[in-house]
Structure formats: structure tokens, C-alpha cells
Amino acid sequence: MIEPYKKKALIAVKKTGSLSNKIQKMIDDGEYCMDILQQIKSAQGLLNSAFELTLESHLETCGKHAFASDKKSEHKKMIDEIMRAFKAKK
């Protein structure tokens, strides 16, 4: 991964880890379900952000290289990787 994506993604993932511990404690303590759901939604948002940052870094590096190539196989490989990342292709 390249900067600034790496730093931002790492921050988001670390926050998700802390939030995950908080959610576990909330569940153990029997806190209000809507409060727990709100925290889960926050964790999902952080992971989505990390996903997007990682994808953008990949496209800025490997993607640019693949699509600059004259080899159609490199283009296809990159497209397949992106499709797998979104589970549109196995």
C-alpha cells in the first residue's frame, strides 16, 4: 500500500479493533440493542473506509501498471481481481 492510503486505512482498522472490544463489552453488559447496533454500524463504516482506501491504493499502483501494459492478459487479470474484491466473480 502507498501513502496516504496506508496511514488512513491503518487508522480505520485500529479504530475498528477498539470499537469491536467496546461492542463485545456492551453485549456482555446487556446494553440497549439500539446503542449496540449504532456501534456496529460505526465499525462497518470504518471497515468500508479501509476497504475503499485499500482499493484506491491498489488501483493507483497495480491497476495503473496493469492497464498501462500492452498485454490484454494483464488487463483481464486486474479486472478479475477487482470483481473478486466485490464478490461479483469467484
Side-chain angles (χ1 to χ4, degrees):
M1 266 181 106
I2 60 171
E3 294 299 348
Y5 309 106
K6 181 179 180 177
K7 183 178 180 179
K8 291 177 181 178
L10 191 55
I11 289 169
V13 169
K14 285 180 179 181
K15 285 181 179 180
T16 303
S18 297
L19 199 48
S20 176
N21 291 334
K22 179 179 179 177
I23 294 166
Q24 288 175 358
K25 184 173 180 345
M26 290 174 78
I27 292 169
D28 282 341
D29 294 346
E31 292 197 28
Y32 186 57
C33 293
M34 293 308 293
D35 292 339
I36 295 169
L37 289 171
Q38 183 178 10
Q39 295 304 312
I40 291 170
K41 195 69 175 163
S42 294
Q44 288 173 329
L46 288 166
L47 286 175
N48 285 338
S49 177
F51 178 90
E52 291 169 5
L53 290 162
T54 304
L55 177 60
E56 191 169 354
S57 177
H58 185 60
L59 292 173
E60 287 287 343
T61 56
C62 301
K64 279 185 179 178
H65 181 266
F67 290 120
S69 172
D70 292 335
K71 297 179 182 178
K72 295 291 181 189
S73 63
E74 291 294 316
H75 300 184
K76 174 85 170 101
K77 180 181 172 187
M78 181 55 55
I79 291 168
D80 287 347
E81 284 180 2
I82 294 167
M83 296 300 289
R84 278 193 310 274
F86 289 95
K87 296 192 186 218
K89 190 171 186 179
K90 296 185 181 199

